[in-house]
Amino acid sequence: MAAIDLACANSGHGNNAKCTRNGKYACKNCRLVLYCGADCQKSHWKKHQSDCTNNPLLKANWRPRWEVENREPAFVGGARLQFFNHQMKYPWGNVPAFDLLKLESNEGTGYGKDLNLLFAASGDIRNVIKTIASIPDGFQHPIKIHLNDKDADIVGRNAIMLLLALTEGDAAIATDNIIHTWYSAFISQSLQDTLKGKIRELVQDVCTKVEGKAPNAVLGKTWTFGPRSLRLVLAKKQWFELLASLEPPPGLTIERAREIRRSVTLAPQRVDFRERRYFAQPPGHRASAQKFREDGVLIPYGAPRDPFTIPNPTLFRDTNTWPMKDDADPLDGWRISDIVDVDSGLATNDVYCKLSFLLKDLITRFYHRLKSLDISFQLLNVNAEDLHHYIEQGSFDRIEISNICDAGYLGIGQTIASIGFLLKQPKENPHATLVALFLNAVDEVFDDNEKRNEFSQVLKYKAIQPPTGPYDANIIVYGIATQQVRDVDKCFDRYMKLYNFATIVELSGMEFKKKHTIIGKWPMRLKLKPHQKGAKEEFDLMLSSSVSGCERYMEWRFKA
């Protein structure tokens, strides 16, 4: 990864302090910001002190408020457990991205045929970006990618980000524009000008053509950029909503947008939920997380926020609501081990800086690979189980279905019945694979009576002091960690019997692969045993993330 300079933290904070130099020395108290020298650090101290020595989250002995106040935390239940409203939108992925192709270890770099990929319930485009960025340079055959999601807003955002890549000639500009459209609540004027300019022009052309049609009319539009293309199919209403998402709602000021967002991300009734996650994190990580909840811009901690003055119109769709859950976090879509391994120079505690660097590197690789390939995208907005009405049977070399196979959604039986036959047969591609994710299977069949034994396993990784009271934070948080030591294979065997996987295999002509070639069966589990070197550090890192270790992937194929 290329080195990226960090600005002196005394930059962009008003007329009296506009240092334009890069930082060379870290604040030794927090390791979150850099300064070019002692003069700038001294000048900036009055502003920085509240984020540093006066920030309780940076204290090693910090404790959650529920413990300090000796009260039952809201997430336990009872009178304090309240429904917290949000708009049920999921613009950010909540499990780490993966490469759906893994071409080198499957078909091989020298594979001589075109490749067709389907992301049947895509959510955001993290898996698409990860997959394209990972395609070896030696592969040069055409690639067709179908992305589908039932939420038109998600489809629209994905189209916007792909168009930002396809229409931009400068990799650095495209990368920054994609990152901030994707993850930042506020964007720069230059990005807003791009959205209102060339992106709006493309969408406006379609809206003009569909204006006189019936409200439920569906129109597809293909934009071509040399050997690359993007086709978007939406209903008339969704086309006009896409057009509206390129400018902030009339009357929405930056002050009002901050107020709306913070009413969700810093909601007083959700403090126990926030602090439960914070307690599992290192001090620097939780201070970084609080900063992102406050300002919502994915940049280094010490970087100036001054340029980000426009509410992100793809997220703020009206003047009253922030669409995401209060715990939505950009970190959750990427492997925490990959994030912390990123070199952020002397700002070693700034985990969101590390994520921004990781994304810059990955999206830059995606951009250059995109520009070198013959690649076409088709974006759809339909229910996943209806895709067979729009796509020919046996079309795809890979299908990714997210967790719609969970019992609370379509379930594995209906998923295989309605989507499985879109996969190619082995005679066409013996490596053709459908990847399914089960997020809730283990929890659904787990017997709580087994939890006592799990807690003793947790203590092998992390010894804790005797509890100080009934709401001791250590006991509560490490109780969550029992998922990482759970006998998940036993649970999933129970789940497969409950939902008749053997019958599904018999009726569908498909089978699940015993040896995975795309992604591990349990990729978020602890890899080290308690006695092995680095086991405690791995345990602490996984506990600080959003994954439970109970996320189960299955790879399906047709029987040969």
Side-chain angles (χ1 to χ4, degrees):
M1 181 177 294
I4 302 178
D5 294 324
L6 287 174
C8 173
N10 195 35
S11 63
H13 293 290
N15 294 329
N16 297 324
K18 286 195 174 182
C19 178
T20 59
R21 293 181 288 270
N22 289 326
K24 296 181 179 179
Y25 311 99
C27 172
K28 293 181 180 179
N29 291 314
C30 66
R31 298 280 176 182
L32 290 169
V33 300
L34 303 185
Y35 294 99
C36 63
D39 289 344
C40 269
Q41 184 170 15
K42 183 178 180 181
S43 173
H44 190 242
W45 177 243
K46 186 176 181 180
K47 180 176 179 65
H48 180 57
Q49 188 174 16
S50 61
D51 288 336
C52 187
T53 55
N54 290 351
N55 186 351
L57 292 173
L58 281 172
K59 309 294 184 185
N61 62 352
W62 174 82
R63 310 297 290 187
R65 271 172 273 189
W66 80 74
E67 184 189 280
V68 174
E69 297 166 5
N70 193 32
R71 59 170 172 77
E72 182 181 74
F75 50 77
V76 170
R80 288 178 56 81
L81 184 60
Q82 303 174 6
F83 174 76
F84 187 73
N85 185 41
H86 63 90
Q87 304 302 305
M88 299 300 289
K89 297 286 185 181
Y90 302 94
W92 304 337
N94 63 349
V95 291
F98 69 96
D99 171 12
L100 182 61
L101 268 176
K102 282 293 180 75
L103 194 62
E104 286 185 288
S105 56
N106 287 280
E107 289 88 348
T109 305
Y111 188 61
K113 297 181 180 180
D114 300 356
L115 287 170
N116 295 335
L117 315 180
L118 169 62
F119 297 85
S122 68
D124 66 13
I125 58 172
R126 69 194 188 286
N127 289 336
V128 175
I129 285 180
K130 181 80 171 178
T131 299
I132 294 175
S134 302
I135 295 173
D137 291 339
F139 183 83
Q140 291 297 333
H141 286 268
I143 299 176
K144 294 181 181 179
I145 296 179
H146 282 69
L147 292 93
N148 176 69
D149 199 274
K150 68 178 183 179
D151 186 332
D153 290 340
I154 301 299
V155 176
R157 273 172 50 87
N158 290 344
I160 290 168
M161 287 185 279
L162 290 172
L163 287 171
L164 286 171
L166 290 165
T167 59
E168 178 56 61
D170 186 301
I173 293 174
T175 296
D176 278 348
N177 285 346
I178 291 170
I179 288 173
H180 294 301
T181 300
W182 196 348
Y183 285 124
S184 289
F186 303 94
I187 61 174
S188 66
Q189 185 63 56
S190 62
L191 173 52
Q192 178 61 70
D193 290 343
T194 298
L195 295 177
K196 286 177 60 178
K198 57 187 174 183
I199 305 301
R200 181 183 176 85
E201 184 178 343
L202 295 173
V203 179
Q204 179 68 69
D205 180 59
V206 183
C207 291
T208 300
K209 292 178 180 178
V210 78
E211 190 166 9
K213 296 185 179 294
N216 60 346
V218 175
L219 180 68
K221 171 64 178 180
T222 301
W223 296 287
T224 302
F225 311 90
R228 291 159 290 281
S229 66
L230 186 151
R231 180 170 177 78
L232 178 59
V233 181
L234 293 173
K236 176 182 176 178
K237 177 184 177 183
Q238 274 71 51
W239 276 110
F240 280 92
E241 288 184 352
L242 175 60
L243 185 68
S245 75
L246 298 171
E247 293 186 70
L252 180 64
T253 64
I254 186 171
E255 293 79 14
R256 175 57 180 157
R258 284 178 179 146
E259 179 186 355
I260 292 167
R261 182 178 174 276
R262 288 173 181 172
S263 72
V264 175
T265 62
L266 299 175
Q269 62 268 46
R270 298 290 289 180
V271 63
D272 293 348
F273 295 84
R274 288 195 296 278
E275 294 190 350
R276 177 174 58 178
R277 173 108 184 238
Y278 287 175
F279 188 70
Q281 295 175 322
H285 289 200
R286 59 189 177 227
S288 296
Q290 180 71 10
K291 182 78 166 177
F292 185 78
R293 283 178 179 266
E294 290 171 357
D295 62 37
V297 182
L298 189 58
I299 54 176
Y301 197 102
R305 271 64 180 165
D306 301 25
F308 299 90
T309 58
I310 311 294
N312 185 336
T314 73
L315 295 174
F316 289 99
R317 301 302 303 279
D318 58 48
T319 58
N320 294 305
T321 54
W322 174 249
M324 282 183 275
K325 295 175 65 177
D326 65 295
D327 61 353
D329 193 329
L331 297 174
D332 296 347
W334 309 92
R335 289 186 183 275
I336 187 64
S337 56
D338 291 343
I339 295 171
V340 300
D341 284 346
V342 171
D343 182 7
S344 56
L346 297 174
T348 53
N349 284 336
D350 189 356
V351 69
Y352 287 83
C353 171
K354 290 175 178 287
L355 174 60
S356 70
F357 286 7
L358 181 148
L359 290 172
K360 281 179 183 290
D361 182 69
L362 179 68
I363 296 173
T364 299
R365 285 190 283 124
F366 160 79
Y367 175 88
H368 287 301
R369 202 65 188 95
L370 179 68
K371 295 291 187 174
S372 69
L373 287 167
D374 179 344
I375 188 167
S376 62
F377 298 95
Q378 179 161 335
L379 279 65
L380 298 170
N381 171 220
V382 300
N383 290 323
E385 63 268 34
D386 295 330
L387 279 168
H388 62 275
H389 295 305
Y390 305 88
I391 298 171
E392 186 178 348
Q393 178 176 342
S395 297
F396 295 102
D397 301 279
R398 300 286 192 280
I399 300 176
E400 191 263 319
I401 61 171
S402 187
N403 70 313
I404 62 172
C405 52
D406 268 330
Y409 296 99
L410 291 185
I412 188 61
Q414 187 176 349
T415 299
I416 293 297
S418 59
I419 300 176
F421 63 88
L422 300 177
L423 191 69
K424 286 181 178 178
Q425 293 285 338
K427 63 182 179 180
E428 292 187 68
N429 183 356
H431 300 280
T433 302
L434 181 150
V435 180
L437 168 62
F438 295 86
L439 282 180
N440 305 313
V442 171
D443 285 344
E444 187 174 333
V445 299
F446 179 67
D447 184 348
D448 281 340
N449 293 325
E450 301 173 43
K451 201 163 188 175
R452 182 180 297 274
N453 292 332
E454 293 177 344
F455 199 80
S456 65
Q457 293 297 314
V458 169
L459 295 179
K460 294 179 181 180
Y461 286 94
K462 184 97 171 180
I464 61 174
Q465 298 298 318
T468 58
Y471 309 121
D472 184 278
N474 286 313
I475 299 299
I476 289 174
V477 170
Y478 291 125
I480 298 170
T482 56
Q483 294 176 307
Q484 277 288 348
V485 299
R486 187 158 294 165
D487 188 345
V488 289
D489 285 317
K490 182 174 72 174
C491 289
F492 200 71
D493 285 344
R494 192 182 304 159
Y495 184 87
M496 290 194 294
K497 291 176 182 176
L498 177 65
Y499 288 101
N500 302 309
F501 276 47
T503 302
I504 294 168
V505 167
E506 181 180 351
L507 294 176
S508 67
M510 300 187 76
E511 61 184 359
F512 44 89
K513 293 157 66 172
K514 293 182 179 178
K515 182 178 180 181
H516 283 200
T517 62
I518 307 295
I519 186 170
K521 295 178 181 179
W522 304 98
M524 287 69 144
R525 292 200 67 72
L526 296 171
K527 304 297 188 293
L528 300 175
K529 301 297 182 184
H531 64 277
Q532 292 180 296
K533 184 179 180 180
K536 178 183 178 300
E537 291 75 13
E538 182 193 33
F539 175 86
D540 287 343
L541 185 62
M542 297 304 287
L543 184 60
S544 74
S545 73
S546 65
V547 300
S548 68
C550 296
E551 299 87 355
R552 174 61 151 93
Y553 282 90
M554 290 191 85
E555 296 183 9
W556 291 74
R557 65 187 175 193
F558 278 105
K559 299 174 186 176

